Amino acid sequence: MNERYIISCCSTVDLTEEQLKELDLEYICFHYELDGVSYLDDLGKTRSYEDFYSAMANGAETKTSQINPDEFKEYFKRFMEAGKDVLHLSLSSGISGVVNSARIAAAELAEEYPERKILVVDSLAASSGYGLLMERLSALRAEGMGLEELYEWTEANKLRLRHWFFSTDLTFYIKGGRVSKTAGFVGTVLNICPLLDVNVDGKLIPRANIRTKKKVIREIVGKMTAQAEGREHYKDKVFISQSACFKDAQAVADLIEEKFPEMDGKVVINSIGTTIGAHTGPGTVALFYWGDERTD
């Protein structure tokens, strides 16, 4: 644990526990239900991602719930009592209202611990894109950036974090109302893969319908080619998350490593966690990198 201040996130950051420990990040868990049974979204520890997505593919009903203010108070309080300040980034407000729970808890604890600070940021990010943002914050703290300076940096730079998603299975997009039943039927017959990104408001927005997996893989890498910081000379990290479709994610990673030889290390591939995966279902690949600031 960093001696100066805590950097904190939600479990929807879709990193592994080992990655979070290595980055010296704290996290608080969302909740989900599978066929009426409640679980913590605890990075696949209680129920493996493989088991979770298999259950969904076999028709299990899913439901998610965000962290409430009382849970945040208990979570933050242990840092306050240890004499630590906190910078907490929440899952995008375009996807969840959880940032409001964190802010309510922070305001109440400010009265109990007036000498401590809890700064809350709406990340406008999701899944391992949220994770890529947290990775950068960890690095900046390690370089000596203070709490308030890092807060200001985050607010100024978070929209440079780009997200692109595609899905090869429309089942749960239809079930969740993101795709109509008619469009979903036609899309399934024609092998349509929707391509989506996260916009300036942190909302997941459909951008195109691409026919065949092979083409959508080329298109998602094409988006990075057009937007990445430095373009083909991109020098930063790239994260991918996937829901029970590792081979598709690896195909994207292989193409990226070929097109961006100066990037920092190999592409990191993680699982889409149970909170976001409860809505996407299996068959989704998400790509994250630093690039042009989001404007739409």
Side-chain angles (χ1 to χ4, degrees):
M1 187 179 292
N2 189 278
E3 292 183 358
R4 291 167 295 151
Y5 61 93
I6 301 300
I7 304 179
S8 165
C9 56
C10 305
S11 58
T12 45
V13 76
D14 288 352
L15 299 177
T16 65
E17 181 141 28
E18 292 73 24
Q19 287 168 329
L20 289 164
K21 285 181 178 177
E22 184 178 343
L23 295 170
D24 193 15
L25 300 174
E26 299 289 334
Y27 69 96
I28 183 171
C29 296
F30 267 65
H31 311 267
Y32 72 95
E33 293 182 11
L34 198 62
D35 280 340
V37 179
S38 297
Y39 299 92
L40 278 179
D41 175 10
D42 60 359
L43 314 181
K45 287 185 291 187
T46 300
R47 190 157 192 166
S48 73
Y49 295 136
E50 181 181 9
D51 182 46
F52 173 77
Y53 287 116
S54 176
M56 288 189 77
N58 289 324
E61 293 293 327
T62 58
K63 183 180 179 182
T64 60
S65 58
Q66 67 186 38
I67 306 152
N68 66 44
D70 286 341
E71 289 174 296
F72 267 115
K73 278 188 72 173
E74 289 305 307
Y75 170 71
F76 287 145
K77 188 176 285 187
R78 63 190 177 98
F79 305 129
M80 302 292 96
E81 291 178 348
K84 308 293 183 182
D85 295 327
V86 178
L87 174 63
H88 177 78
L89 270 71
S90 288
L91 176 65
S92 172
S93 61
I95 295 174
S96 167
V98 71
V99 67
N100 296 320
S101 294
R103 286 172 174 161
I104 289 167
E108 291 180 2
L109 287 172
E111 297 180 6
E112 293 182 44
Y113 301 91
E115 73 285 0
R116 299 264 62 89
K117 293 179 181 178
I118 303 174
L119 304 181
V120 177
V121 175
D122 176 1
S123 74
L124 299 177
S127 192
S128 296
Y130 182 11
L132 185 55
L133 178 57
M134 298 305 298
E135 186 275 339
R136 176 64 65 85
L137 300 190
S138 174
L140 291 171
R141 178 181 58 182
E143 291 171 9
M145 193 174 285
L147 172 68
E148 294 189 4
E149 185 183 4
L150 189 58
Y151 170 83
E152 292 171 1
W153 186 96
T154 307
E155 291 288 9
N157 289 277
K158 62 188 181 182
L159 290 177
R160 294 195 299 109
L161 200 290
R162 303 305 302 246
H163 308 58
W164 284 95
F165 297 73
F166 72 78
S167 181
T168 58
D169 185 343
L170 300 178
T171 303
F172 293 91
Y173 289 81
I174 297 166
K175 194 172 183 178
R178 292 175 177 81
V179 176
S180 71
K181 289 184 179 179
T182 301
F185 174 77
V186 172
T188 300
V189 170
L190 296 178
N191 292 321
I192 296 294
C193 301
L195 182 65
L196 313 92
D197 80 340
V198 172
N199 73 358
V200 68
D201 297 318
K203 296 179 179 179
L204 190 59
I205 305 294
R207 299 297 188 184
N209 290 318
I210 311 295
R211 190 173 181 182
T212 77
K213 184 194 301 184
K214 188 174 181 180
K215 288 182 180 178
V216 80
I217 287 173
R218 289 202 303 265
E219 184 64 21
I220 200 171
V221 176
K223 293 297 184 184
M224 181 173 173
T225 303
Q227 296 172 340
E229 190 175 80
R231 303 305 189 252
E232 71 271 19
H233 299 294
Y234 182 76
K235 299 182 187 302
D236 220 309
K237 296 182 183 296
V238 176
F239 283 6
I240 287 176
S241 56
Q242 52 80 34
S243 54
C245 53
F246 184 85
K247 288 183 179 179
D248 295 339
Q250 188 63 61
V252 175
D254 290 344
L255 192 53
I256 288 171
E257 288 170 7
E258 176 187 329
K259 288 185 173 294
F260 300 93
E262 298 175 44
M263 62 178 286
D264 183 3
K266 295 284 188 178
V267 174
V268 176
I269 302 177
N270 287 319
S271 290
I272 293 175
T274 49
T275 297
I276 294 172
H279 301 283
T280 68
T284 294
V285 175
L287 170 64
F288 312 102
Y289 54 89
W290 292 97
D292 299 336
E293 186 170 312
R294 287 176 255 164
T295 59
D296 62 353

